[in-house]
Amino acid sequence: MVRKLFILRHGEAESGRNSTDINRPLTDQGKKDVLETGVKVNHEGVRFDVVLCSTARRTRETASLFLESFTKAPEVTFQEELYNAPLDQVQRSIMGIPNDYKSVALIGHNPSVSSLATYLLNGQFISLSPGQLIAFDLSIEDWNDLYKGCGSLIEI
């Protein structure tokens, strides 16, 4: 069985001069970019069983705008541990996904989202830009079976 994992780095965020890092909002351009990505993904017919999302303001705003165009929005699970998470914490979050979910989106931060993408491709370096979405087919039966190199990039 192939599982699908979509990784979305939050949209471009305001600088941290006027607020704490966790409370930084998206810029107008960041909002526009994420909204456009959501429209494109929805138009392509991509669906998610669940969305895992950091609790930072910029990731919550990204999730809301990204999913705005979906007629049937998936469940969104906000996980505090995804904020400033090291790779092993992100892996644990993915490995804890119920097995009845086949298609999952993760909305998070760099460097963890880029590290995850690199891990899934067995070391082929990936650096996600703000608002960038990347998709993988994972050659695993169970989310708990996640391993280095189990991902293949798919085009959306």
Side-chain angles (χ1 to χ4, degrees):
M1 167 182 302
V2 174
R3 297 186 183 275
K4 295 189 181 308
L5 179 65
F6 298 81
I7 302 171
L8 176 60
R9 182 176 172 194
H10 64 76
E12 179 184 82
E14 298 283 344
S15 71
R17 287 189 296 248
N18 298 324
S19 62
T20 60
D21 183 67
I22 198 165
N23 291 316
R24 290 191 301 134
L26 295 179
T27 63
D28 289 342
Q29 185 63 50
K31 291 174 184 177
K32 179 179 179 280
D33 293 345
V34 169
L35 189 59
E36 287 174 2
T37 299
V39 168
K40 176 186 176 205
V41 170
N42 182 52
H43 180 73
E44 294 293 324
V46 175
R47 297 294 174 259
F48 311 108
D49 297 315
V50 69
V51 176
L52 305 181
C53 185
S54 160
T55 55
R57 179 176 176 182
R58 60 192 176 275
T59 50
R60 289 182 286 121
E61 287 179 358
T62 296
S64 177
L65 292 164
F66 177 69
L67 297 171
E68 189 173 292
S69 66
F70 285 69
T71 51
K72 185 176 185 285
E75 170 190 349
V76 180
T77 301
F78 295 99
Q79 296 184 351
E80 189 174 327
E81 57 272 13
L82 289 175
Y83 174 68
N84 281 340
L87 176 59
D88 63 329
Q89 178 58 56
V90 177
Q91 290 169 301
R92 283 192 298 275
S93 289
I94 293 168
M95 293 169 82
I97 296 169
N99 281 321
D100 52 332
Y101 295 153
K102 309 297 183 225
S103 179
V104 173
L106 180 136
I107 302 173
H109 310 266
N110 253 354
S112 60
V113 292
S114 292
S115 296
L116 177 61
T118 299
Y119 175 83
L120 294 173
L121 291 174
N122 198 20
Q124 178 186 341
F125 182 70
I126 301 289
S127 179
L128 295 174
S129 301
Q132 185 177 1
L133 176 73
I134 191 169
F136 294 90
D137 279 337
L138 304 180
S139 57
I140 56 175
E141 292 292 321
D142 184 308
W143 289 106
N144 200 41
D145 295 336
L146 191 74
Y147 64 92
K148 186 175 184 177
C150 70
S152 301
L153 283 173
I154 57 175
E155 189 172 328
I156 49 171

